[in-house]
Amino acid sequence: MILAPVVSLGQSSPATVPPAATPGKFVDVTAAKGVNLTAVASHTSHKYLLETMGSGVAVFDYDNDGRLDLFFVNGAPLDDPMQKGVVPQKRTPKDWNRLYHQRKDGTFEDVTEKAGLKGVGYDMGVAVGDYDNDGYEDLYVTGYGGNHLYHNNGNGTFTDVTERSGTGGDHTAGQAWYTSAAWVDLDNDGLLDLVVLRYVKWDFEDVWCGEHREGYRAYCHPDLFPPITPIVYHNNGDGTFTDVTAKVGMAIPGKGLGIAIADYDKDGKIDIAVANDSMPEFLFHNKGDGTFEETGFTAEIAVDGDGRTYAGMGIAFQDFNNDGWPDLAITNLANQKYALYRNNGDGSFTYDTYATSLASMTLLHSGWGIFFLDYDNDGYKDLLVTQGHDLDTVELNYPEVHYKEPMLLAKNLGNGTFVDVSANSGDAFKQRWVGRGMAVGDFDNDGLLDAVVTTNGGPAYLLHNETPTPNHWLSLLLVGHKSNRDAIGAEIKLTTAHGSQYWTVSTAGSYLSSNDKRAHFGLGTDTTARSIEIVWPSGIHQTLTNVAGDRIVRVDEPNSSETTTRK
């Protein structure tokens, strides 16, 4: 049910320090809302690495009815053993990817078959973006063996345009393991381009890892497999794409699992961060001439505070401390501590995992999907993380580390530190899952951000945010005209009587997943945003003043820079 009106503005705040670490309240409404999906991971006795990586989920409004819908990515059956060089295929309906349409009453209906989104192979990731600017969100699905681009026809159906578009990827055996992807306009021509990560060079080989005794065989460490470059597709504007990976300077081998975007040095050009597994993390700086430079080490985000690499998996790239500079958070495995890099504003970052108290709360945990969200609308971005180890045998050797784990909700105290409020934030945080993908959005438009989570070989969960709070909020739906229609890459500064906060418009981030493109702000005790400053990807500057809160506001990109007063 839509509880808040969407108000169009046409074309044309937080308290300084929260008084207490107020916990959240997230309720598992999966069954009540009609969502019923169990992810296919196809665990085998051979412990193929593919089995443990999980799959993603997207939240997006595919039919423009104002209600968020859900798209779940799913795996495919694996033989035990698999023949080398064989690409697994979906065989029965339980293997299908799933599209759930949200009805007016807030429940969901499975419309997968009608929409034409069953899928083909062992899929993993999803990215949402309107690549042809027709006003309907399209889907890009990644996986092992190749990828698929689904064009939204605007009538509830999708067409697989992979072959014509040229976005299927390299199908060569050992070269075709794709993970997260991001839609982003790399050259500001008004068309979304596509950056697709690959994990490692891998095939179904019978490699034994772990102890050579019954029950102790384990999934192999990624160090055993060579890194591989991402693929960058330039949008030609005619429904086709061109591989420009080498041309733009991103042909650097990595082990990419998570991708996020932001303008980290505020030079007006969008940059790209990549979470790599067990090797240095990447930060691609946009040079503004159509090329990128990898600056992970010079920006000081490549390794942790001790100079060590870690198992980078999920990623979030937003400004958590409201200083105007986007910060980075990257999840990893137990005994590594989630990495939080505070942006210094001079092109470099500081490893703030210890200073923010994230070290103590994440040392023995393994994180995947991650998102900066203001769950109680106090104006400070908190952290929500899905957790679970990748080794189902990890407790045999490390009893203090667990394969199944509850989620983490870390409250931002507004003073540069976080506190773990998970235990008091609802029964959902007491359940142990093998968490993997996660997407965040306001499913019922009530002003509180919700989450949907996938687990490896287990159920999906829809978590409804019912946190009691007197705070106010404002959500912005940006519509580009000269810029890409989704306004991906737009930078927003919202100011209330108590200060400013910032957001980069994007659907990318987390792990293998795609988030709601709407920008959500908690206003604290303020009921009005004094000003909203938007820098569109086109370079147009727009300022809105005196915008009332507690609603969803559509903002159209103007023809030129302007300042307007809207109520």
Side-chain angles (χ1 to χ4, degrees), residues 349-490:
F349 293 75
T350 295
Y351 182 79
D352 255 10
T353 296
Y354 291 99
T356 57
S357 300
L358 280 179
S360 58
M361 72 179 76
T362 66
L363 176 61
L364 295 179
H365 299 286
S366 303
W368 301 77
I370 183 171
F371 195 87
F372 282 115
L373 84 168
D374 185 356
Y375 71 84
D376 59 352
N377 290 332
D378 68 349
Y380 293 99
K381 299 178 187 66
D382 314 297
L383 275 174
L384 183 65
V385 187
T386 60
Q387 301 187 131
H389 208 276
D390 64 334
L391 302 180
D392 55 0
T393 56
V394 69
E395 292 167 46
L396 296 175
N397 297 307
Y398 303 96
E400 74 280 8
V401 176
H402 302 290
Y403 178 53
K404 294 184 176 182
E405 297 188 67
M407 294 180 65
L408 169 67
L409 182 63
K411 170 68 182 171
N412 185 343
L413 295 181
N415 59 3
T417 65
F418 291 83
V419 62
D420 186 349
V421 296
S422 310
N424 298 316
S425 294
D427 289 341
F429 290 90
K430 296 179 174 65
Q431 304 301 315
R432 293 181 179 271
W433 305 332
V434 188
R436 292 296 185 261
M438 179 179 71
V440 171
D442 185 356
F443 299 128
D444 52 358
N445 296 331
D446 66 349
L448 293 172
L449 289 175
D450 312 297
V452 58
V453 175
T454 66
T455 63
N456 189 45
Y461 295 94
L462 183 59
L463 303 180
H464 184 237
N465 186 351
E466 300 178 8
T467 302
T469 176
N471 295 323
H472 301 277
W473 58 279
L474 185 65
S475 288
L476 303 177
L477 173 61
L478 270 56
V479 180
H481 295 281
K482 184 176 181 182
S483 303
N484 68 85
R485 189 171 178 86
D486 285 330
I488 288 175

Side-chain angles (χ1 to χ4, degrees), residues 85-320:
V86 173
V87 175
Q89 301 290 303
K90 298 185 189 301
R91 299 172 186 172
T92 67
K94 73 176 183 179
D95 310 323
W96 293 354
N97 302 327
R98 294 286 173 174
L99 177 66
Y100 282 91
H101 173 255
Q102 187 177 170
R103 303 184 182 100
K104 291 181 179 180
D105 63 0
T107 63
F108 291 85
E109 58 180 330
D110 187 337
V111 295
T112 308
E113 196 164 13
K114 174 186 175 183
L117 290 174
K118 295 185 292 186
V120 178
Y122 199 108
D123 294 323
M124 286 189 63
V126 57
V128 173
D130 181 4
Y131 75 86
D132 57 353
N133 292 332
D134 66 352
Y136 291 92
E137 300 296 327
D138 309 299
L139 285 174
Y140 189 73
V141 179
T142 69
Y144 180 78
N147 309 315
H148 291 270
L149 177 60
Y150 297 98
H151 178 257
N152 188 333
N153 300 319
N155 60 0
T157 69
F158 291 75
T159 299
D160 187 336
V161 296
T162 309
E163 185 173 355
R164 180 181 181 276
S165 67
T167 57
D170 184 352
H171 293 201
T172 306
Q175 306 289 314
W177 187 347
Y178 299 89
T179 55
S180 293
W183 289 105
V184 54
D185 186 355
L186 298 176
D187 53 1
N188 287 341
D189 63 354
L191 297 168
L192 289 176
D193 308 301
L194 187 59
V195 182
V196 189
L197 301 185
R198 289 189 280 186
Y199 186 33
V200 293
K201 295 181 180 179
W202 184 88
D203 204 346
F204 288 100
E205 297 185 63
D206 190 12
V207 181
W208 187 293
C209 294
E211 296 184 40
H212 281 262
R213 55 176 169 147
E214 188 67 28
Y216 280 73
R217 184 169 183 169
Y219 296 104
C220 292
H221 195 282
D223 283 353
L224 294 180
F225 310 103
I228 189 168
T229 67
I231 295 182
V232 182
Y233 291 110
H234 177 260
N235 189 336
N236 300 322
D238 60 359
T240 68
F241 291 75
T242 300
D243 184 340
V244 294
T245 313
K247 180 180 177 181
V248 301
M250 290 194 196
I252 301 176
K255 298 181 180 180
L257 289 178
I259 186 169
I261 67 169
D263 179 7
Y264 78 91
D265 57 351
K266 298 178 72 171
D267 64 356
K269 297 175 263 311
I270 206 73
D271 309 300
I272 299 171
V274 174
N276 282 318
D277 190 356
S278 303
M279 63 171 286
E281 314 305 304
F282 288 164
L283 182 60
F284 288 102
H285 176 250
N286 190 333
K287 297 166 66 176
D289 60 0
T291 66
F292 289 75
E293 178 184 13
E294 203 288 294
T295 60
F297 276 104
T298 57
E300 300 182 61
I301 63 92
V303 292
D304 67 14
D306 298 316
R308 295 176 298 201
T309 60
Y310 51 83
M313 297 181 294
I315 190 168
F317 203 177
Q318 297 284 356
D319 175 18
F320 82 89

Side-chain angles (χ1 to χ4, degrees), residues 1-2 60-69 101-106 443 445 518:
M1 180 180 296
I2 297 182
F60 70 124
D61 182 5
Y62 78 89
D63 58 350
N64 293 338
D65 63 358
R67 297 182 292 272
L68 291 179
D69 309 300
H101 173 255
Q102 187 177 170
R103 303 184 182 100
K104 291 181 179 180
D105 63 0
F443 299 128
N445 296 331
R518 296 177 297 184

